[in-house]
Amino acid sequence: VEQGIFHIRGSEELSYFQWAERYFGLAHQPRERLRPVSRKEIEREAARPQRAVLGMSAYFKLDLPPLPPLDEALRHYVRTEMD
């Protein structure tokens, strides 16, 4: 059995902004509070990747069940954490 930190996500590959849009919609938050920001607008000491999507290869190697669709998982989170 592999050990360590596993980053997991659903089958959809979304940007951080796209994820926030979904979350804000399901949490009934005003989307006007969101603004997409390019990598060039944020000054960071370390170089940032062109596209930052979490890999799932370690999860799939363990033959674990598929994760629920993102909207279903977000609805569950909003229901349980925001009530």
Side-chain angles (χ1 to χ4, degrees), residues 2 4 15-16 22 24 26 30 33 37 39 43 47 49 53 55 57 70 78-79 82-83:
E2 289 192 41
S15 70
Y16 289 109
R22 296 264 187 98
F24 269 52
L26 291 168
R33 294 176 56 195
V37 179
R39 288 183 314 116
E43 292 186 28
V53 174
S57 59
L70 176 62
V78 168
R79 233 183 3 260
M82 299 191 77
D83 286 340

Side-chain angles (χ1 to χ4, degrees), residues 10-83:
S11 61
E12 296 179 70
E13 294 184 358
L14 302 173
S15 70
Y16 289 109
F17 181 75
Q18 290 169 318
W19 186 92
E21 283 184 311
R22 296 264 187 98
Y23 176 79
F24 269 52
L26 291 168
H28 306 290
Q29 297 295 312
R31 291 185 185 181
E32 298 80 41
R33 294 176 56 195
L34 295 174
R35 182 178 70 86
V37 179
S38 72
R39 288 183 314 116
K40 294 176 183 174
E41 293 178 74
I42 301 174
E43 292 186 28
R44 303 272 184 159
E45 289 185 29
R48 307 304 295 168
Q50 285 287 340
R51 201 160 171 268
V53 174
L54 298 175
M56 292 284 289
S57 59
Y59 184 87
F60 293 132
K61 283 181 189 176
L62 296 175
D63 199 32
L64 296 170
L67 297 170
L70 176 62
D71 287 340
E72 181 182 324
L74 282 174
R75 270 193 297 278
H76 174 76
Y77 176 78
V78 168
R79 233 183 3 260
T80 57
E81 295 297 322
M82 299 191 77
D83 286 340

